[in-house]
Amino acid sequence: MNRPPLPPAIESAELAWHNGVPESKRFGDVYFSRDNGLEETRHVFLRHNQLQERFSQIREGGSFVIAENGFGTGLNFLAAWQAWQSNAPAHTATLHFVSVERFPLTREDLTRALALWPELKALADELLLHYPPLVRGVHRLVLAGGRVRLTLFFGDINEAWRALDFRADAWFLDGFAPARNPDMWLEDTISQVRAHSKPGTTLATFTSVGRIRRALMDAGFKMEKTTGYGRKREMLKGILETEGPDQPERPGTIAIIGAGIAGCTLARNLAERGYPVTLVDSRAPGNGASGNAQGALYVKLGVEFNDQTELALTSLTFAQRFYGNWRGQYWHPTGLLQLAHSPQEADRQARFLHRNDYPRDIFWPVTREQASELAGMPTQSGGLWFPRSGWLEPQNLCKTLADHPLISTSFGVEVNRLLPCNGQWHLSTEQGSTLAADQVIICSGHLSPELIPIKGRFRLKAIRGQVSHLPAPAVTKPKAVICGNRYLNPTLGDIAVTGATFDLHDSNPLPTTESHEENIQELDSMLPSLFSPNAGKPRAEALDGRVAFRCTTHDYQPVAGPMFDGESACLDDLYLFTGLGSKGLSYAPLLAEYLADRLTGQPVCLPTNLVRRLETRRLFQAGMAVS
Ligand code: SAM
């Protein structure tokens, strides 16, 4: 056996192909029946969970949750998605599919395995386009325009079910045969199946082994043997016959305060799930920290693969998939170069590369020559190349996101206070009017502390950032985003945006010549060949630019979750989503997905360790108010 890879990489499946059917070398078993895998899936999993009938009965804005053990080739998932396409109601509803895989197939093997099913080709192509890099942890794939959401945990099954927060309507119990794959059928695993089930949850499995049937019965399922598929004479189906509410309540009216990238991604996410929202802002969308003409999609991955790094990585890959919807419009996946621009950064990158093992679809290290080639200009060092990153037009994107029939906008309205009143939140405005909503999410960036009902106790600060607009003729045109002690974007029209300053104790809202000067100096030291020798460096006093205030927490990590009440619990129906610092474009799509999961009671796309990392409670400082 080879040594397991360093984090965050995960061992992939090793396949043997016999007559075109994939088999696992590790487990010595087939992924699906040799007779006809698709028909087997339909018989065992779709029919015996009565998916056709149950799909058609889902209420508007509702969801149906299938959980599976063993994603394998994704055949079961695609078959369920196809059945959803044919049987789901005409109104908006979401199919959630939660699956786990300890040894994921490589993209190449998955492509080959799914090519066996011509009738699933369109769905398989979409899955392949979104298939995540082979790194441990949770990946959320938003497919079919949001009508299908796949939560894929790459790791061991027991780790997965402990880390994920969801309750299934139907289970596909599909490990390899119990004798060959005992880990998949442990009592602990079966008790996790029970813990993640609702009253009335059904299950189906190809196996009819007595021990499994008894363990499922002990866990509370009423089990029945029935006819199996093909050469398998028998299979099992079951139902959890317990009492209790089976549908989460709809969240009522939702108001989001702040139409930057956080508020706009969240509003759009909820609207696409069929939930009407009101989006309030004192200005138009994307006018604060998300209002720059260009913004880089960039995270800094830590030397240690800890929760912070995991959150940055999963946010980055989710954001790359999310912005793919606006490719050719506001999303420009030119690639991004993270230069080893100083001895400290070169040392950090060396330690990072030594400790970790990242697949090439996330990044790969490049020499100085390669970096220069990719950047389109000479660089002074090598660095890391992120082939799927690039830059965005954030303001245009925010406007587009806010434009949806289920989003009512109240722009030009400044909320100055939030008060609980008769089970709702009242939003009183500068203009003297009051809005009411059942659920409120504060996404107001550096203005958020003003709206938090417990004043001055949450460690949030505003950090001034000024960008400079370099005139295109003054610079060698970069082919990709270049990051170091500053970032520089490829040109957009007649400018290239660079920045930003990081001014902790400066509240000047206007661009200053000193800040432009600082941007030019830093950029010149990072890329000495950037400014054309004839024209020289642009004059700081002649530059245009823009100032915005990033909202940052004391630990420089984002915050997204229910608002801590300052004692031991959370305030009802009030959420905070901010603290994205200068990485809002990277964090916002995934954290919006997470909050929308919570608000709608649907499966949560983040594991518990990352949910904890985002909590509002950690910002709370007892005693003295923070300034
Ligand atoms: N449902 C799959 C499909 O549609 O192609 C077939 C699943 S295959 C029969 C079983 C899968 O379980 C394999 O992909 C295997 O790698 C995975 N597996 C085995 N042991 C596991 C474990 N301990 N945790 C998570 N996955 C595991």
Side-chain angles (χ1 to χ4, degrees):
M1 270 279 168
N2 294 337
R3 206 167 50 89
L6 294 171
I10 185 163
E11 290 153 279
S12 61
E14 288 179 50
L15 302 192
W17 296 82
H18 290 127
N19 302 324
V21 174
E23 231 181 80
S24 159
K25 285 194 192 164
R26 196 174 264 113
F27 293 96
D29 200 357
V30 282
Y31 280 82
F32 41 75
S33 158
R34 292 192 182 288
D35 297 330
N36 183 331
L38 181 53
E39 280 310 316
E40 178 192 38
T41 294
R42 287 179 178 144
H43 175 83
V44 175
F45 297 114
L46 307 195
R47 209 157 296 144
H48 287 104
N49 279 302
Q50 299 98 43
L51 293 190
Q52 192 173 333
E53 304 84 289
R54 294 168 79 193
F55 282 171
S56 63
Q57 290 159 9
I58 300 175
R59 63 160 169 77
E60 175 132 36
S63 65
F64 191 93
V65 183
I66 298 174
E68 174 191 57
N69 52 1
F71 187 72
T73 69
L75 174 62
N76 288 343
F77 167 60
L78 295 188
W81 178 359
Q82 190 192 41
W84 176 254
Q85 266 187 335
S86 318
N87 300 295
H91 53 241
T92 307
T94 311
L95 173 66
H96 276 271
F97 197 96
V98 184
S99 191
V100 54
E101 182 51 64
R102 172 69 187 82
F103 303 102
L105 268 66
T106 61
R107 184 183 302 276
E108 295 67 34
D109 282 337
L110 192 67
T111 308
R112 180 165 171 199
L114 293 179
L116 289 169
W117 318 111
E119 66 172 292
L120 298 176
K121 182 170 180 350
L123 309 187
D125 286 348
E126 193 172 338
L127 172 64
L128 285 163
L129 184 70
H130 289 82
Y131 194 60
L134 300 199
V135 290
R136 291 175 166 279
V138 191
H139 305 273
R140 166 62 62 84
L141 276 57
V142 178
L143 303 160
R147 307 255 307 169
V148 175
R149 291 180 136 86
L150 170 63
T151 307
L152 195 48
F153 187 103
F154 283 164
D156 188 75
I157 187 159
N158 290 307
E159 218 183 296
W161 297 159
R162 271 193 292 273
L164 291 175
D165 177 3
F166 70 93
R167 292 211 305 152
D169 294 288
W171 281 92
F172 294 2
L173 299 184
D174 191 24
F176 289 121
R180 293 175 190 267
N181 190 187
D183 288 0
M184 207 67 150
W185 303 96
L186 298 173
E187 263 172 41
D188 192 28
T189 320
I190 289 174
S191 66
Q192 287 289 338
V193 168
R194 169 68 180 84
H196 286 287
S197 294
K198 303 174 183 173
T201 292
T202 59
L203 66 81
T205 174
F206 64 89
T207 182
S208 58
V209 170
R211 177 181 74 77
I212 308 292
R213 184 164 61 94
R214 286 189 295 278
L216 286 163
M217 284 164 63
D218 289 349
F221 287 90
K222 185 175 160 208
M223 298 301 301
E224 195 185 315
K225 266 192 193 168
T226 178
T227 318
Y229 179 79
R231 281 168 253 185
K232 294 220 173 83
R233 262 192 318 123
E234 289 178 323
M235 58 162 281
L236 296 173
K237 65 176 191 168
I239 181 162
L240 187 65
E241 286 184 331
T242 51
E243 300 288 317
D246 57 357
Q247 296 262 7
E249 280 179 30
R250 272 184 76 92
T253 50
I254 305 174
I256 295 173
I257 312 174
I261 192 73
C264 289
T265 45
L266 180 58
R268 180 62 172 241
N269 196 311
L270 288 163
E272 286 183 350
R273 294 186 203 216
Y275 290 77
V277 295
T278 302
L279 181 61
V280 192
D281 199 298
S282 58
R283 295 187 283 173
N287 254 295
S290 313
N292 291 335
Q294 297 184 296
L297 184 58
Y298 173 62
V299 295
K300 203 156 183 180
L301 300 169
V303 171
E304 297 285 338
F305 191 74
N306 52 21
D307 291 347
Q308 197 164 313
T309 312
E310 184 180 348
L311 183 64
L313 175 64
T314 174
S315 299
L316 176 72
T317 55
F318 184 86
Q320 289 169 347
R321 296 192 289 271
F322 176 78
Y323 295 129
N325 295 319
W326 291 278
R327 195 189 178 117
Q329 284 175 285
Y330 313 127
W331 168 230
H332 307 270
T334 52
L336 180 145
L337 186 62
Q338 192 180 318
L339 288 174
H341 60 93
S342 64
Q344 294 77 2
E345 178 59 15
D347 174 60
R348 200 194 75 85
Q349 288 190 7
R351 283 183 291 121
F352 168 69
L353 291 169
H354 182 70
R355 292 259 194 112
N356 297 284
D357 190 353
Y358 280 84
R360 281 173 72 88
D361 34 6
I362 300 173
F363 75 81
W364 66 81
V366 288
T367 60
R368 181 180 172 176
E369 291 69 32
Q370 290 164 330
S372 304
E373 172 60 31
L374 291 162
M377 72 182 73
T379 61
Q380 290 180 298
S381 69
L384 307 175
W385 171 248
F386 290 75
R388 298 185 180 198
S389 267
W391 62 277
L392 283 146
E393 297 171 43
Q395 191 176 46
N396 285 333
L397 184 72
C398 286
K399 283 188 199 147
T400 302
L401 289 169
D403 183 13
H404 185 283
L406 288 186
I407 303 179
S408 2
T409 56
S410 281
F411 295 146
V413 173
E414 187 172 341
V415 180
N416 54 18
R417 207 156 166 222
L418 283 176
L419 287 170
C421 189
N422 298 333
Q424 285 195 307
W425 286 99
H426 281 192
L427 292 62
S428 54
T429 72
E430 199 63 36
Q431 289 74 9
S433 59
T434 304
L435 294 163
D438 296 311
Q439 311 254 354
V440 173
I441 306 97
I442 303 172
C443 305
S444 310
H446 75 287
L447 302 173
S448 301
E450 298 301 311
L451 296 176
I452 296 173
I454 309 156
K455 291 263 172 295
R457 292 288 169 82
F458 287 85
R459 289 173 286 177
L460 290 162
K461 58 189 171 202
I463 302 181
R464 180 180 184 275
Q466 177 172 323
V467 295
S468 305
H469 294 177
L470 301 176
V475 296
T476 311
K477 289 195 175 42
K479 290 201 293 196
V481 182
I482 309 173
C483 300
N485 44 358
R486 284 294 181 273
Y487 67 81
L488 173 70
N489 289 293
T491 52
L492 168 66
D494 50 9
I495 59 162
V497 175
T498 186
T501 59
F502 195 86
D503 312 317
L504 260 174
H505 304 292
D506 184 349
S507 55
N508 185 352
L510 298 174
T512 63
T513 304
E514 294 72 49
S515 293
H516 283 318
E517 194 65 59
E518 186 188 319
N519 280 337
I520 294 172
Q521 291 307 340
E522 292 289 341
L523 199 55
D524 191 37
S525 77
M526 178 175 110
L527 288 168
S529 56
L530 173 69
F531 297 113
S532 80
N534 306 332
K537 283 189 255 170
R539 285 182 25 252
E541 55 277 21
L543 288 184
D544 282 337
R546 187 170 181 279
V547 171
F549 292 87
R550 315 165 179 100
C551 178
T552 307
T553 61
H554 64 297
D555 58 11
Y556 292 93
Q557 290 294 293
V559 60
M563 193 72 237
F564 183 55
D565 71 357
E567 283 169 20
S568 58
C570 285
L571 294 169
D572 283 341
D573 306 319
L574 184 64
Y575 294 78
L576 182 65
F577 178 15
T578 188
L580 309 184
S582 50
K583 306 286 188 296
L585 299 177
S586 308
Y587 284 124
L590 181 66
L591 302 191
E593 178 80 5
Y594 159 64
L595 284 178
D597 289 340
R598 286 198 68 147
L599 283 154
T600 57
Q602 294 177 15
V604 173
C605 65
L606 293 177
T608 43
N609 58 316
L610 299 190
V611 168
R612 267 199 306 275
R613 196 78 202 78
L614 294 165
E615 278 172 0
T616 54
R617 175 192 288 252
R618 73 179 208 279
L619 309 189
F620 185 75
Q621 201 170 40
M624 295 280 287
V626 291
S627 58

